[in-house]
Amino acid sequence: MKKATQKEIAAIKALFLEHYESAVTELKYTSLYELLVSVMLSAQCTDKRVNLITPALFERYPDAKALSIADLDEIKSFINSCSFFNNKAVNLLKMAQKVVELYDGEIPLDEQKLMGLAGVGQKTAHVVMIEYANANLMAVDTHVFRVSHRLGLSSAKTAIKTEEELTKIFKNDLHTLHQAMVLFGRYTCKAVHPMCEACFLNAYCKTTQTFKV
């Protein structure tokens, strides 16, 4: 695959910032706790599905303290339409218990502390910090991975390495660029039947439909 040139990278970045200057997550939340739970649930699950699940979940468990003393099977009953709900329920309970134990029930807005919680890896921590604090970080989900490869921004084989490459080439405005690439990949540069004719980045595409992840 042909890599994007420095000039192309600058143009792609500018176009993303122009078209998605106010891009934010499509997950619905009202607090840092709700955002973290939503992002944890969104792993290999659509934001639309998560948004259907969380209103009842948050009504029952409005904060980490309430969730920390929840019955595991009851948590499962609220999220059982979500992928991998058994593991996610266990992680939600353990996460809340540790937040209460170590942070007095307040979700820590710190990358390493977040990653010390059950079910929270680097991507989840970055997504939370990007959305809640506009942190200059990049997170790579399937959409960002696909888009970055189609545009020749990265040839890395893993999400972590792709994140490193995007961080290096873009340097700043990473929080907006992450959200932009997620939305662009979700609605325009789709895995199957991408909307190439309507794409504002069509001139910079290196692979069109050949990269379907």
Side-chain angles (χ1 to χ4, degrees), residues 4 13 26 74 77 109 120 136 140 151 159 165 168 184 196:
K13 178 179 180 179
E26 293 186 312
E74 187 175 64
S77 72
L109 196 58
V120 181
N136 190 47
V140 176
L151 292 173
E165 290 194 3
K168 183 178 180 180
F184 178 70
C196 299

Side-chain angles (χ1 to χ4, degrees), residues 77-131:
S77 72
F78 281 99
I79 67 170
N80 61 14
S81 63
C82 187
S83 57
F84 306 103
F85 72 91
N86 285 308
N87 288 338
K88 289 179 180 178
V90 171
N91 284 333
L92 286 173
L93 182 58
K94 288 182 178 179
M95 176 276 290
Q97 289 170 342
K98 193 162 187 178
V99 167
V100 169
E101 177 187 351
L102 297 181
Y103 308 114
D104 196 31
E106 298 297 323
I107 305 297
L109 196 58
D110 175 89
E111 181 178 354
Q112 293 306 312
K113 290 178 179 178
L114 283 169
M115 290 175 62
L117 302 175
V120 181
Q122 180 170 302
K123 185 186 80 172
T124 296
H126 281 195
V127 170
V128 168
M129 295 181 69
I130 288 166
E131 172 64 23

Side-chain angles (χ1 to χ4, degrees), residues 149-200:
H149 284 70
R150 283 183 175 171
L151 292 173
L153 300 172
S154 173
S155 58
K157 298 186 182 300
T158 67
I160 294 296
K161 289 295 184 181
T162 301
E163 177 193 304
E164 292 175 1
E165 290 194 3
L166 293 176
T167 300
K168 183 178 180 180
I169 64 174
F170 285 143
K171 296 183 178 61
N172 50 38
D173 297 308
L174 298 181
H175 61 289
T176 302
L177 291 165
H178 160 74
Q179 305 286 19
M181 293 176 78
V182 169
L183 295 176
F184 178 70
R186 184 173 292 162
Y187 297 111
T188 302
C189 193
K190 298 181 285 188
V192 180
H193 305 308
M195 301 174 67
C196 299
E197 292 182 3
C199 178
F200 61 87

